[in-house]
Amino acid sequence: MIKSKNIKKTLSVSFTALLAFSLISPVYGDSSSTSSAGASTISAKVSAKLNQQFSNSEYVTYLVKLKDQVDTESVAKHALQKASAEQISPAAAKLSVRTTVVNSLMDTAEKTQQPVEEYLKKEVNNGNVKKYKSYFIVNALAVTSTKEVLDNLATLPEVDKILPDEKRELQKVEIDKDAQPAAREATAEQAAADTAVTEENAQKSVEESVYKDAVTPSRAEWNISKVKAPQVWAKGIDGKGVVVANLDTGVDYTHPALKRKWRGLNASGQVVNPELSWYDAVNGASLPADTEGHGTHTMGTIVGSDSNGTNEIGVAPGAQWIAVRVFNPDTTDSILLDGGQWILAPVDKSGKKHPELAPDVVNNSWGGGPGLDEWYRPVTKAWRAAQIFPEFSAGNTTWSNPGGAGSVANPANLPEAYATGATDVNNKLASFSLRGPSPYGEVKPEISAPGVNIRSSVPGGVYEGGWNGTSMAGPHTVGLVALLLQAKPSLTVDQLEDVISKTATPLTDSQYRTSPNNGYGYGLIDALAAVNSVLN
């Protein structure tokens, strides 16, 4: 039975109530009691780790989270009810809900952050604050200041918690050079054989003919065929009209498998308003770039294909992509919040937010440690409320997280995230793929996809195989979302999850004897079954 999002809603309310109950209110009285109360308030609100950081540096960057947080799920629900009453189209309703969510977040941040910002501006002039940045996707600010400023912020009644700006690592990917397949350069004879149309095959159905060509080894990678994407292409569904995104190391937009699919290019191949289709939260590059390769590889598995048909590496080659660079190669919480906020509403040169240009689905091939950690939960909740599908890779084993039960990485283990585990060519769970259950008692990952020996695009206009990781598995799920949204654009995030889970091929082994389970989730994604289910 597919898990209900009502369970997630109940959990969300419970945790919200718990946080509200634990808030510390300022105490007022004579000078001695105020001093004592102030120290108590600071201790309750400020992470102990920050005190250690200040012992080594005069200025430290940290996150200030305010008490007033938007219930994006409730805002979206009411906006949808209003849209339904007005009987507008599904596309207009989706945009109305997304815009309402963004406006609610922005209004709350603007009103409640004003006293904090007024204080910070004064301390900038005094030299006690190096810099600060406001966020609305989570009502919070990133501040670089002295310890005195931090202590003063903690006493403000608007402030809930002050947390370290934690360093985050990109999920480690193993690249097996020996496992790389031979180059896919087709000979003239092979190309002629692949494209020849004889009198016999001319009598075949369009679907049979297209599919036969699509799975020719010189075209579709084994993993793309494994999830049955070519059969969906044969139906005329390849993700056209859908926008995908990734939060990663960036993307080499000049790669032949990706360039013509970047939304920042017009029909003539000219760059137009690139800031609305690319955001570099790390280096501020104006055009998409990737020095690490990870983001180019994951994007290739989502949408990649070259113009001559010799490299079909993506599940949804008709979709457009946008991207955010948040790793180089590591990152921090503030950068990830910055990138997640841009996904919700891309920003033009004037600073205006454009929720209408947000992607339909976002790939997150990154994560931290296991266990309960809700720092990114407001972001995933906001994405869902805005009908942006939040796909996360389940995570890979490391020396500090050797795997096993309950090892699935955060944020993939959040109730609002849809997590993908990795399988090999034989549909066996990859040894490195982290397992559930989640800290909330849910099945994790929800789904599985190929993640062993994956060949895709890498910077420099070339292709490379032998990549292993749940980072490689997640993009297959993102591509499937794009296919489903072309087939039925009105599908909600909840409906998309149900379709993908219900139509998956159940997978079990000696450890996981029933399905769904905390290794494979509901099984291997099946693009053909999923798309057929919504078409029917």
Side-chain angles (χ1 to χ4, degrees):
M1 182 177 181
I2 304 302
K3 66 182 181 183
S4 169
K5 290 299 171 188
N6 288 331
I7 297 175
K8 296 185 176 183
K9 293 175 184 177
T10 302
L11 284 165
S12 176
V13 172
S14 299
F15 276 96
T16 301
L18 180 62
L19 285 173
F21 183 76
S22 65
L23 295 179
I24 305 297
S25 299
V27 180
Y28 299 95
D30 60 30
S31 59
S32 60
S33 64
T34 301
S35 176
S36 175
S40 176
T41 300
I42 293 170
S43 177
K45 291 184 178 182
V46 179
S47 166
K49 188 173 182 178
L50 279 172
N51 292 324
Q52 298 174 356
Q53 292 180 0
F54 273 107
S55 65
N56 299 320
S57 177
E58 181 181 3
Y59 294 92
V60 172
T61 300
Y62 51 88
L63 297 174
V64 181
K65 183 180 178 183
L66 275 64
K67 290 179 182 179
D68 196 354
Q69 298 289 325
V70 177
D71 182 352
T72 50
E73 185 177 59
S74 178
V75 170
K77 181 180 178 181
H78 287 104
L80 183 59
Q81 290 173 344
K82 181 181 178 182
S84 298
E86 295 172 352
Q87 297 183 330
I88 59 179
S89 69
K94 179 181 286 189
L95 178 57
S96 176
V97 169
R98 183 176 294 171
T99 302
T100 302
V101 168
V102 171
N103 287 341
S104 178
L105 288 166
M106 291 176 61
D107 289 346
T108 299
E110 182 178 355
K111 292 174 183 177
T112 59
Q113 290 181 18
Q114 184 178 356
V116 181
E117 288 207 62
E118 287 177 355
Y119 170 68
L120 291 174
K121 287 177 182 177
K122 182 183 72 173
E123 293 304 319
V124 167
N125 294 331
N126 292 336
N128 296 321
V129 174
K130 290 286 187 184
K131 61 180 180 179
Y132 71 90
K133 183 166 186 175
S134 167
Y135 302 104
F136 65 82
I137 194 167
V138 179
N139 191 7
L141 301 96
V143 181
T144 303
S145 78
T146 62
K147 179 68 163 57
E148 180 184 5
V149 169
L150 178 145
D151 289 344
N152 289 335
L153 286 171
T155 64
L156 295 178
E158 297 84 3
V159 173
D160 178 16
K161 299 290 182 184
I162 300 182
L163 305 166
D165 190 19
E166 299 278 12
K167 183 178 178 180
R168 306 283 173 172
E169 304 286 346
L170 192 65
Q171 287 182 353
K172 183 177 176 61
V173 173
E174 298 292 342
I175 304 175
D176 185 355
K177 298 291 186 179
D178 295 332
Q180 292 184 38
R184 301 285 185 181
E185 298 296 335
T187 64
E189 292 77 13
Q190 288 173 326
D194 287 345
T195 56
V197 179
T198 64
E199 183 177 347
E200 179 182 0
N201 66 31
Q203 301 302 315
K204 295 181 180 180
S205 69
V206 172
E207 179 172 339
E208 288 177 335
S209 178
V210 173
Y211 178 57
K212 178 180 182 298
D213 187 40
V215 296
T216 300
S218 66
R219 295 196 61 184
E221 293 297 320
W222 74 266
N223 49 300
I224 304 303
S225 296
K226 174 70 74 173
V227 301
K228 301 180 184 176
Q231 290 103 311
V232 179
W233 305 338
K235 295 175 176 290
I237 297 171
D238 61 2
K240 184 178 181 181
V242 180
V243 178
V244 305
N246 67 2
L247 285 179
D248 216 302
T249 62
V251 178
D252 175 9
Y253 89 101
T254 65
H255 197 289
L258 301 173
K259 183 174 182 179
R260 66 192 185 283
K261 297 146 193 254
W262 180 41
R263 194 177 65 183
L265 295 181
N266 63 16
S268 302
Q270 298 172 319
V271 176
V272 179
N273 298 324
E275 70 281 356
L276 292 173
S277 298
W278 159 257
Y279 179 52
D280 188 346
V282 181
N283 299 326
S286 59
L287 291 175
D290 179 13
T291 57
E292 300 296 322
H294 190 276
T296 302
H297 199 281
T298 58
M299 188 60 77
T301 302
I302 302 173
V303 303
S305 67
D306 60 20
S307 57
N308 63 14
T310 57
N311 287 285
E312 294 288 3
I313 58 172
V315 174
Q320 285 187 305
W321 64 267
I322 62 177
V324 179
R325 174 151 62 184
V326 288
F327 286 94
N328 192 36
D330 53 25
T331 191
T332 62
D333 290 350
S334 59
I335 292 174
L336 286 165
L337 288 177
D338 194 16
Q341 179 170 285
W342 185 92
I343 286 290
L344 190 63
V347 185
D348 64 22
K349 291 180 179 178
S350 70
K352 182 181 178 181
K353 313 292 191 299
H354 289 270
E356 76 278 6
L357 294 179
D360 300 292
V361 52
V362 55
N363 181 78
N364 296 273
S365 288
W366 58 272
L372 187 64
D373 185 354
E374 298 196 311
W375 75 278
Y376 213 66
R377 193 174 185 188
V379 176
T380 59
K381 292 176 75 171
W383 285 346
R384 289 188 75 94
Q387 292 304 310
I388 300 170
F389 191 100
E391 189 284 326
F392 282 82
S393 294
N396 310 324
T397 56
T398 63
W399 67 269
S400 59
N401 185 5
S407 61
V408 63
N410 175 276
N413 64 14
L414 292 173
E416 291 78 20
Y418 194 72
T420 306
T423 53
D424 63 17
V425 68
N426 297 313
N427 293 346
K428 297 300 181 184
L429 189 63
S431 60
F432 54 75
S433 190
L434 296 180
R435 324 294 176 89
S438 79
Y440 306 87
E442 297 180 310
V443 169
K444 287 283 180 176
E446 281 89 346
I447 207 72
S448 297
V452 178
N453 190 19
I454 304 302
R455 179 176 181 271
S456 187
S457 47
V458 292
V462 296
Y463 300 84
E464 189 171 271
W467 285 52
N468 304 314
T470 56
S471 287
M472 285 55 261
H476 293 81
T477 302
V478 174
L480 175 52
V481 170
L483 297 178
L484 286 168
L485 285 174
Q486 182 189 352
K488 190 173 182 180
S490 63
L491 289 171
T492 65
V493 172
D494 287 355
Q495 291 170 337
L496 287 163
E497 288 189 354
D498 284 350
V499 167
I500 295 171
S501 297
K502 287 177 179 177
T503 59
T505 302
L507 296 177
T508 57
D509 58 27
S510 59
Q511 181 178 358
Y512 302 104
R513 297 181 181 275
T514 60
S515 182
N517 55 65
N518 286 305
Y520 302 91
Y522 286 85
L524 182 72
I525 63 170
D526 185 329
L528 182 61
V531 170
N532 280 342
S533 75
V534 300
L535 290 178
N536 292 337

